Amino acid sequence: MEGPFIRIEDTGMLVALREDVTTIGRGDAVDVRLSDPSVSRLHAEIVRRGPYAYVTDLGLSRNGTRVNGRLVARRVLDDGDVLTFGSARCRIGGIARDDLTAEVELRRSAAPELTRRELDVLTSLFRPAQSDEAFVAPATAREIASDLVVTEAAVKQHLLRLYQKFRIPEGTNRRVRLANEVVALGLVRPLPPTGRPEPWTPQAMPEDIPASATIRAEVHDRRAS
């Protein structure tokens, strides 16, 4: 099959990805229908942008979406990635592979395991980068608490655990350093340019923040629809 496709492991069926958005779920009207009861009716989407494709968990199922065994909110896909929607396994194919150095691959494999709530906190942390403003900073603990409808104290506890998991030492701009480490590990990857000014540029951050850490968050809005 030419072009990007998804393979349903249980049946071996190949489904070509649409040019824009491919829907995945248990419902009758989705593009990739999975019969597993752990899959929600509208579970996830695979979005194509030029040569890239990324999967987005729609937050409508308790079982979530995993890429190569790791729970994700949104993740750019590589050829051969294993996608798990609830308990249903699929594999992505036909995607041109970027040239990644051994160092990048090693760092990605060292990424810590995250709980669903920790992933929610990271999602909210990156949310300001989805705005149309040219320069933005990561969300504050208060903003994250408001977004997730939890207490600020609970958010701070989650952030402390994330700092420990990603080995972010104490000091200034700790949330920014956490955000940059998440990008460096490949858990969140910048989307292809769309002509809009990139947020979190060096002019907006202290000099010790590398230009390579410029971020346009690739996270999905998990607020209930």
Side-chain angles (χ1 to χ4, degrees), residues 21-39:
V21 179
T22 302
T23 55
I24 300 164
R26 189 165 41 86
D28 293 333
V30 298
D31 300 314
V32 180
R33 190 171 184 272
L34 304 172
S35 59
D36 194 294
S38 65
V39 178

Side-chain angles (χ1 to χ4, degrees), residues 4-222:
F5 63 88
I6 186 170
R7 181 181 187 272
I8 303 173
E9 295 288 81
D10 284 348
T11 64
M13 180 185 295
L14 301 181
V15 180
L17 298 184
R18 291 180 175 273
E19 290 295 329
D20 47 7
V21 179
T22 302
T23 55
I24 300 164
R26 189 165 41 86
D28 293 333
V30 298
D31 300 314
V32 180
R33 190 171 184 272
L34 304 172
S35 59
D36 194 294
S38 65
V39 178
S40 65
R41 285 178 295 175
L42 182 59
H43 196 107
E45 295 176 340
I46 296 179
V47 181
R48 292 179 62 184
R49 290 196 178 181
Y52 299 94
Y54 63 87
V55 63
T56 297
D57 178 76
L58 297 179
L60 304 176
S61 169
R62 294 181 180 180
N63 300 309
T65 298
R66 296 178 180 269
V67 177
N68 300 326
R70 296 186 183 277
L71 196 66
V72 300
R74 181 181 291 186
R75 174 71 181 267
V76 173
L77 298 172
D78 289 322
D79 192 60
D81 278 346
V82 175
L83 307 181
T84 307
F85 307 101
S87 300
R89 285 169 55 91
C90 301
R91 187 179 297 272
I92 201 76
I95 295 179
R97 183 173 176 82
D98 284 341
D99 292 330
L100 298 177
T101 65
E103 180 182 358
V104 171
E105 290 285 12
L106 181 61
R107 286 177 62 83
R108 180 181 295 179
S109 66
E113 291 287 347
L114 301 177
T115 66
R116 186 63 177 264
R117 178 52 74 181
E118 288 168 346
L119 194 60
D120 288 341
V121 170
L122 284 180
T123 297
S124 187
L125 177 74
F126 281 98
R127 201 176 309 286
Q130 293 177 299
S131 72
D132 290 328
E133 298 179 11
F135 306 114
V136 293
T140 65
R142 178 174 298 180
E143 291 169 338
I144 295 172
S146 176
D147 186 33
L148 300 180
V149 195
V150 296
T151 65
E152 188 173 347
V155 170
K156 289 181 178 179
Q157 287 298 316
H158 285 298
L159 284 173
L160 284 174
R161 284 195 287 271
L162 287 168
Y163 294 146
Q164 293 170 355
K165 285 189 174 185
F166 288 96
R167 300 181 181 179
I168 308 298
E170 295 183 3
T172 59
N173 299 312
R174 207 174 186 188
R175 283 177 296 109
V176 174
R177 287 182 282 132
L178 171 63
N180 282 283
E181 181 65 13
V182 168
V183 170
L185 286 169
L187 300 182
V188 174
R189 292 172 58 183
L191 293 175
T194 59
R196 196 180 75 185
E198 296 287 339
W200 297 4
T201 62
Q203 295 95 320
M205 290 291 123
E207 293 181 356
D208 61 340
I209 304 300
S212 61
T214 300
I215 301 171
R216 280 200 298 113
E218 177 199 310
V219 292
H220 178 60
D221 191 343
R222 288 185 165 276

